Amino acid sequence: MNIAIYPRKSKKDDNSESMEQQIDDCRKYINKTYPDANIIVYSGDYAITGHSTAKRKDFQRMMDDVRAGRINAVVIMRYDRIARNMRDFCNLYHDMESAGCNLISVSQQIDTSTPYGKNFMYQMANMAELEWAIISERYKDTAAYKIREGKAYTGRVPIGFKIEKIDGVKKVVHDNEEQTRAIFDYLLATKSKRGTVLWVRENLIPDFTRHKLDTMIKSDLYIGKVRENDHFCQPYFTKDQMEEIRSVNQIKYAPSGHIYLFSGLFRCPICGRKMSSFYSIDRKTKKHRQYQRCWFGGNEKLHKTKLVSEAKTEKYLLENLDAALKNLEFDVKKEAGKPKRNLNKKLNDAIGERERLNYLFEKGRIDIPEYEKKYSILSGKINSISEELSNNKVVRIEEFKKQIPEDWKELYEQLDQKGKQEFWHRIIKEFYLNEAFEITGFIFYI
């Protein structure tokens, strides 16, 4: 007779029985009730929630053994160790019952081999789901309150942040700021997530992964925001800067090994799709010629398409980049010269007003509907002023110009193909083409 023991613990630091205690209590029950049984322990689901069975790999392995008829009974401490979702529980128990496997709860002293035990088992499963729903709702309310107040609401934060007690309150603050900025700077410079991951592993964080980089790119913490609170913590970047990071055109490397200077920077003026890079060999000179073309137009004949030469594109930029940069700088400074309101004072006044509102709410001097209404209005006002302040294009263009020194043409000629590719992808976001596939302009990456 084979009997399985299945322990589970949702969190490493919660108050439920330890995995070892669950296994020990279940083993004692089996030794007393079924002394000749062969015991199999499935203990791989540590610190995994019981609301869903999808992520519990050891549980799935146990159920495979149950369905195959290799397990005669499953012993657990309580029914909520199996599932906190009534539908999952019923489906799982149906599979157990079909395979002739009993389910036994040690602490609740229920054995589903009896009619009474089977009926009571369903009642307990229903109560477990209700308990989970209440706990979940309570957690959401608590988290929402902490987020509004700028308090840490979870123990996990992305790279560049840590949780620290300030005046007795847990706050999310910067951590290894120089390292964090270096990661984003490298991503912006190379336009390669894979290259960034490899560089970070070699130079900063040995166990850095693509998942960690994606988490950093997606997280609003870097602009100081969590849900509706735009001032949850100190930001790394403005909203516009983070949008620039998220809109990075990744350099895609061709399987052939060819390095295309402008890969991903052209869109077809007819269908709007990104154009593809390819090369051909000049029959006379035997040299490679590289081009951009619309694959949908060229191969499927959906519309007429022409080739955009890489050599002509490079020549266009060498001749027009300086003038385009001067025009952009002139337009930005002209716009910035217009009189503006005292935004900093308005922002501080709005933040102070929101803090007073929080104080009145904590003291019980205003009710919830009034608090929520005023809080929403003030938050919207703060967001609007903050966005206007962060949109300082003069500062941004001065930073951008550092990437294009006065002698950039001489420096450019000394670069290899890879260096030239990275240079253009760092400063050019996209080209404009007319319907004749002629370059009419381009967008700077600022």
Side-chain angles (χ1 to χ4, degrees), residues 261-417:
L261 297 187
F262 309 108
S263 175
L265 301 184
F266 283 91
R267 287 188 181 275
C268 175
I270 298 173
C271 67
R273 294 182 176 94
K274 281 199 173 184
M275 298 175 71
S276 303
S277 304
F278 83 104
Y279 74 94
S280 64
I281 300 175
D282 190 297
R283 292 181 180 180
K284 293 181 179 179
T285 64
K286 303 300 181 184
K287 290 184 178 180
H288 286 95
R289 303 293 185 189
Q290 302 191 158
Y291 302 92
Q292 298 287 322
R293 68 176 175 185
C294 179
W295 186 87
F296 289 88
N299 287 32
E300 296 191 0
K301 310 298 182 185
L302 297 182
H303 52 262
K304 291 183 179 180
T305 180
K306 295 183 180 180
L307 305 181
V308 181
S309 165
E310 181 176 278
K312 289 183 179 179
T313 302
E314 186 178 27
K315 182 182 177 182
Y316 176 88
L317 287 171
L318 290 170
E319 292 175 351
N320 294 280
L321 185 73
D322 289 330
L325 185 60
K326 284 182 180 178
N327 289 337
L328 176 65
E329 187 178 8
F330 176 80
D331 291 341
V332 167
K333 288 185 176 179
K334 183 180 178 181
E335 180 68 23
K338 296 178 181 179
K340 289 190 175 182
R341 297 164 293 174
N342 190 346
L343 296 177
N344 281 311
K345 183 177 184 306
K346 291 197 171 190
L347 178 63
N348 292 331
D349 289 347
I351 292 173
E353 193 174 344
R354 190 170 66 175
E355 288 175 354
R356 287 190 292 274
L357 180 68
N358 288 335
Y359 175 80
L360 292 173
F361 179 68
E362 288 176 358
K363 295 298 182 182
R365 296 176 186 174
I366 57 174
D367 57 19
I368 293 177
E370 184 181 1
Y371 170 75
E372 294 288 353
K373 181 180 178 181
K374 290 185 176 180
Y375 187 91
S376 178
I377 293 171
L378 285 171
S379 294
K381 185 177 180 181
I382 290 169
N383 294 346
S384 176
I385 298 172
S386 297
E387 285 186 15
E388 196 169 348
L389 278 171
S390 67
N391 192 23
N392 191 339
K393 290 186 178 179
V394 174
V395 174
R396 287 168 58 196
I397 201 168
E398 289 301 322
E399 288 296 316
F400 180 75
K401 282 172 59 182
K402 293 177 183 178
Q403 301 182 67
I404 313 174
E406 290 185 3
D407 59 343
W408 70 270
K409 289 183 182 179
E410 290 78 7
L411 296 172
Y412 178 78
E413 292 301 325
Q414 299 172 24
L415 297 174
D416 59 11
Q417 190 78 348

Side-chain angles (χ1 to χ4, degrees), residues 158-358:
I159 290 170
F161 294 96
K162 64 180 178 179
I163 296 174
E164 192 174 273
K165 264 196 174 183
I166 300 174
D167 298 330
V169 177
K170 288 184 178 180
K171 297 274 189 177
V172 176
V173 298
H174 284 193
D175 183 38
N176 291 326
E177 184 169 340
E178 186 176 343
Q179 172 184 275
T180 304
R181 291 189 183 278
I183 294 172
F184 283 110
D185 288 344
Y186 192 88
L187 174 64
L188 282 171
T190 63
K191 305 294 189 299
S192 170
K193 290 183 180 179
R194 181 177 180 275
T196 301
V197 170
L198 294 175
W199 179 81
V200 174
R201 283 181 187 169
E202 291 175 5
N203 298 279
L204 302 174
I205 308 170
D207 63 344
F208 194 72
T209 63
R210 174 65 180 268
H211 176 71
K212 289 180 180 179
L213 178 62
D214 287 338
T215 298
M216 293 174 73
I217 294 170
K218 292 175 184 176
S219 176
D220 281 342
L221 270 180
Y222 296 95
I223 58 173
K225 178 180 179 181
V226 174
R227 297 181 194 173
E228 73 279 359
N229 188 350
D230 287 352
H231 298 277
F232 179 80
C233 64
Q234 182 187 354
Y236 274 91
F237 308 105
T238 65
K239 186 177 179 181
D240 288 341
Q241 289 170 334
M242 201 66 201
E243 284 302 314
E244 179 185 348
I245 291 168
R246 289 170 178 168
S247 64
V248 162
N249 286 318
Q250 280 205 80
I251 298 174
K252 295 184 178 179
Y253 300 100
S256 63
H258 287 276
I259 297 174
Y260 300 99
L261 297 187
F262 309 108
S263 175
L265 301 184
F266 283 91
R267 287 188 181 275
C268 175
I270 298 173
C271 67
R273 294 182 176 94
K274 281 199 173 184
M275 298 175 71
S276 303
S277 304
F278 83 104
Y279 74 94
S280 64
I281 300 175
D282 190 297
R283 292 181 180 180
K284 293 181 179 179
T285 64
K286 303 300 181 184
K287 290 184 178 180
H288 286 95
R289 303 293 185 189
Q290 302 191 158
Y291 302 92
Q292 298 287 322
R293 68 176 175 185
C294 179
W295 186 87
F296 289 88
N299 287 32
E300 296 191 0
K301 310 298 182 185
L302 297 182
H303 52 262
K304 291 183 179 180
T305 180
K306 295 183 180 180
L307 305 181
V308 181
S309 165
E310 181 176 278
K312 289 183 179 179
T313 302
E314 186 178 27
K315 182 182 177 182
Y316 176 88
L317 287 171
L318 290 170
E319 292 175 351
N320 294 280
L321 185 73
D322 289 330
L325 185 60
K326 284 182 180 178
N327 289 337
L328 176 65
E329 187 178 8
F330 176 80
D331 291 341
V332 167
K333 288 185 176 179
K334 183 180 178 181
E335 180 68 23
K338 296 178 181 179
K340 289 190 175 182
R341 297 164 293 174
N342 190 346
L343 296 177
N344 281 311
K345 183 177 184 306
K346 291 197 171 190
L347 178 63
N348 292 331
D349 289 347
I351 292 173
E353 193 174 344
R354 190 170 66 175
E355 288 175 354
R356 287 190 292 274
L357 180 68
N358 288 335

Side-chain angles (χ1 to χ4, degrees), residues 8-11 14 16-17 48-53 56 59 78-90 92 124-136:
R8 183 183 62 77
K9 188 175 174 69
S10 296
K11 297 179 182 178
D14 66 12
S16 63
E17 304 93 340
I48 301 177
T49 179
H51 185 60
S52 173
T53 61
R56 289 189 275 152
F59 181 79
R78 295 189 309 278
Y79 281 110
D80 60 5
R81 299 302 87 191
I82 288 288
R84 286 181 177 268
N85 179 303
M86 188 64 181
R87 181 175 180 179
D88 279 353
F89 188 93
C90 292
L92 292 167
M124 294 303 295
N126 192 33
M127 289 302 297
E129 180 172 18
L130 176 61
E131 180 188 7
W132 183 89
I134 293 171
I135 292 171
S136 177

